[in-house]
Structure formats: C-alpha cells, structure tokens
Amino acid sequence: MKKLFRRGFLFRLKPSAGIEAHLANYVGASRFLWNKMLALNIARLENKQNLIWYAEMCFWLSLWKKSQEYGFLKESPSQALQQKLRDLDRAFKDAFDKKQPLKRIPKYKRKAMCDTLRYPQGCKLDEANRRVFLPKIGWVSYRKSRSIKGTPKNITLSRKGKYWYISIQTEYEQEISPHSSLHSSPDSSRSIVGIDMGIKRFATLSNGEVFQPLNCFGKLQAKLKRYQRRLAKKSKFSANWKKQRRKISSLHEQMARTRRDYLHKISAKISKSHAMV
C-alpha cells in the first residue's frame, strides 16, 4: 500500500552580508505587516466591529504599497507578505474556534521573535551546486548535509541566533509494508519497547537499556554566567550591550542545537532497533 507523505528538510544557509541585509529587511516588513493588521483587528474588537479577514487584508496591503508612508512594503516579496497575512487570518480563526482547547488572541511580534519567510512558489532548487533560488534575492548557497527526497512544495526561511536556515517541504509516495507481527501470533513479535522519560536518566527502556542526560547547560553554565555579568555592567541599549546580548543569544542557540541533535540521535537509534507496531 502506498501512502502520500510530506516531509521537511532543514539546512543552514550561507548568505553574503548583502543578502543577510535584504533578508533582515524582508522579515522586518513581515513583522510590521503582522503588527499593523493585528492592531486594526484589536481596535475593531474593542469597538465591536467585524474583523478584517484575509481578502480584505490583501486589499489594504495593496493600498499601503502604493502609499508614501508604507511604500517600503513593495520591496519585499509579495507572496511572503501574503503568507504572513494567511498566518494571521488562521490565528484569528483559531482564536474563535470552539474546538481549539487553547484559544487566545494573536500577539504582537517583536524583533528576533519568529523571524520567518515562507515562499509557496517561485523558488528553484539546485542540489548539484548546493544552492537555492529565492525571489528578489537570487541564488543562495546552503550547507547540504543530506539529499532531498520528493518534490519540493514550499520553502521557509528562518533566523535563529546569528544563522539563517532554510526548510524545504517535499511531497512523496512511499510503500508501507505491514508489520510482521500482524501476520503471526501476538507473542511472535519482540520489537515493541516501552520508554520512561526521567530527570536523572534521560530515558529508560523496558528492556533495561538506559540513556544518560546530555547536560549541555552544565557544561556551558560558567560561560553563560560570565556573559550575563558582562551584560549587566553595560549601558542598556548601547552598542556594546547589543553585542553582548547577541553573544548570550548565540550561546542559548548552541545549547538548543546540541539538545536537538542528541534527541534526534537517540530517537533514531530507538526507532531503528525497535520497530513500533
């Protein structure tokens, strides 16, 4: 039996300083558009008026692009701005959906918070030369750590710390074979294993296998304290204060990458050695 899958492949971009400046401007424009539309809808809610949905948002976007005050929006890729409006439209629909367990009004976005750009079309992928074509940017190299499987459907750019990443979502069909235990007695399969997540031990399997915690925070704790003490001594919002804050952010991102890498390695090891029914 064949089944259709969608899968994301994450790579780190290698943009030049000029391309990084353009990307920063694009995510800034997207953040401004989100906050502007959000403020309009919150004002309408307070005045008990109808909300602005996606179609009307696009109308206002086209008007703002022609204006002198908000003319900078036309410098950004149109589809990236439209995708940001779609995200806001979905956020408001979820906020008033009774089936959603955690309903809340969308929040304003700050700088360096969810800096993303999504391209549903117009991008090209050149795996042989390890580069990707982005609208209004051109060809940008990336670190190819593995081959891509399937047909690319959309591309998302994101900034985490000082690095830019590209996520390529692909679609492909794959044959699914039933587990061998489905065609035999219930006691014939010994591949199922239980996992107990803990604190002192990262994970304990039902077969007795134990995975110790990584404790990457403990290894970098002294360095983080030193950076934070230096930050406290600097004038707030000064150039040196911003530089030191970027160092702290980079250190947190390093710890997050280390944890994700360890988690993926452990989960891959368990899934390969114990087939789950």
Side-chain angles (χ1 to χ4, degrees), residues 8-277:
F9 296 85
L10 185 67
F11 305 100
R12 202 175 94 184
L13 279 180
K14 298 193 295 183
S16 62
I19 292 178
E20 281 192 17
H22 285 300
L23 293 176
N25 290 336
Y26 295 163
V27 297
S30 298
R31 182 173 58 252
F32 168 82
L33 185 62
W34 171 285
N35 292 336
K36 182 71 174 176
M37 286 296 183
L38 178 58
L40 289 178
N41 269 341
I42 290 178
R44 283 175 168 259
L45 284 176
E46 293 174 351
N47 296 325
K48 297 183 179 180
Q49 296 176 342
N50 294 331
L51 292 177
I52 301 176
W53 299 108
Y54 175 71
E56 191 175 353
M57 288 181 186
C58 290
F59 170 76
W60 282 106
L61 175 59
S62 62
L63 287 182
W64 289 341
K65 284 183 177 181
K66 298 176 184 178
S67 67
Q68 185 175 1
E69 185 177 3
Y70 306 124
F72 62 89
L73 291 174
K74 63 184 178 183
E75 299 176 1
S76 300
S78 297
Q79 53 181 320
L81 297 179
Q82 291 169 358
Q83 291 299 308
K84 187 62 66 175
L85 294 181
R86 286 187 181 275
D87 293 341
L88 182 60
D89 182 84
R90 174 55 63 88
F92 269 108
K93 288 181 179 178
D94 289 342
F96 294 98
D97 187 0
K98 295 181 179 179
K99 298 180 181 179
Q100 291 287 342
L102 302 175
K103 299 186 290 293
R104 65 174 179 84
I105 298 295
K107 295 183 178 180
Y108 292 100
K109 294 187 180 296
R110 297 176 296 173
K111 190 175 182 180
M113 173 185 173
C114 300
D115 283 346
T116 59
L117 292 172
R118 188 166 68 252
Y119 295 91
Q121 58 186 2
C123 299
K124 301 177 185 177
L125 189 64
D126 185 3
E127 283 195 83
N129 296 314
R130 302 183 179 186
R131 59 179 187 168
V132 60
F133 180 83
L134 302 174
K136 289 197 173 186
I137 291 291
W139 291 101
V140 185
S141 301
Y142 68 92
R143 294 177 180 267
K144 184 182 176 182
S145 56
R146 55 177 173 169
S147 299
I148 294 175
K149 181 180 180 180
T151 305
K153 288 297 181 180
N154 61 70
I155 287 179
T156 302
L157 298 179
S158 60
R159 179 170 56 183
K160 297 179 181 178
K162 61 180 180 179
Y163 297 116
W164 285 91
Y165 296 89
I166 181 172
S167 177
I168 305 172
Q169 188 185 60
T170 64
E171 187 178 73
Y172 61 93
E173 281 188 344
Q174 183 170 328
E175 189 75 24
I176 299 180
S177 57
H179 195 272
S180 58
S181 64
L182 298 178
H183 303 286
S184 56
S185 62
D187 297 331
S188 63
S189 176
R190 303 296 181 187
S191 59
I192 299 177
V193 65
I195 304 175
D196 179 31
M197 307 296 292
I199 299 176
K200 187 175 181 180
R201 297 176 178 179
F202 177 75
T204 304
L205 305 187
S206 57
N207 60 3
E209 190 175 2
V210 175
F211 295 97
Q212 298 297 335
L214 186 61
N215 194 24
C216 61
F217 175 75
K219 296 177 182 178
L220 297 173
Q221 187 176 10
K223 191 174 183 179
L224 181 62
K225 285 182 178 180
R226 186 168 64 252
Y227 281 4
Q228 289 176 336
R229 283 196 298 265
R230 291 176 183 176
L231 180 68
K233 295 178 182 179
K234 299 184 184 300
S235 299
K236 201 170 184 179
F237 302 116
S238 64
N240 289 332
W241 182 85
K242 293 178 181 179
K243 184 178 179 180
Q244 189 64 28
R245 192 178 65 164
R246 285 195 294 268
K247 288 183 179 181
I248 295 176
S249 177
S250 178
L251 199 60
H252 281 293
E253 179 60 25
Q254 179 184 345
M255 289 188 287
R257 289 198 305 268
T258 305
R259 290 192 185 102
R260 284 196 299 267
D261 178 71
Y262 183 71
L263 180 62
H264 287 315
K265 286 179 179 178
I266 296 300
S267 60
K269 182 179 180 180
I270 294 175
S271 61
K272 288 179 180 179
S273 58
H274 304 280
M276 306 299 289
V277 178

